[in-house]
Amino acid sequence: IPDDTQNAMVTSGIRFGTVPISLLGYSDEDLRILGDYISSILLCQQQDTNMLEYLIQKYHKNINISN
């Protein structure tokens, strides 16, 4: 977050961890897809669920994110 004086433990905005996506091997194009998807959510626009499913299948199909 540009010019943010708070540390990462303070909820002063939206923060995305780029290290985890890098470790998963996201390509530049897939990062654009992810960014567009996040943007559409924040702007309350229609989301392309096919693109989300594509990212899940490509990078997260073997990851269990349930508690």
Side-chain angles (χ1 to χ4, degrees):
I1 300 174
D3 302 319
D4 188 2
T5 59
Q6 301 297 323
N7 70 40
M9 300 307 291
V10 176
T11 54
S12 58
I14 298 173
R15 298 177 187 271
F16 296 97
T18 55
V19 172
I21 6 185
S22 295
L23 291 174
L24 286 169
Y26 269 61
S27 69
D28 289 348
E29 180 58 30
D30 290 341
L31 286 172
R32 283 188 216 31
I33 291 170
L34 179 60
D36 287 346
Y37 197 83
I38 292 168
S39 176
S40 70
I41 291 169
L42 295 174
L43 295 172
C44 299
Q45 298 173 341
Q46 182 70 32
Q47 288 87 45
D48 182 352
T49 55
N50 292 327
M51 296 313 294
L52 181 61
E53 185 61 29
Y54 160 79
L55 293 175
I56 290 170
Q57 289 303 311
K58 186 171 181 180
Y59 296 104
H60 304 280
K61 66 182 175 184
N62 296 321
I63 298 173
N64 182 358
I65 58 171
S66 63
N67 287 331

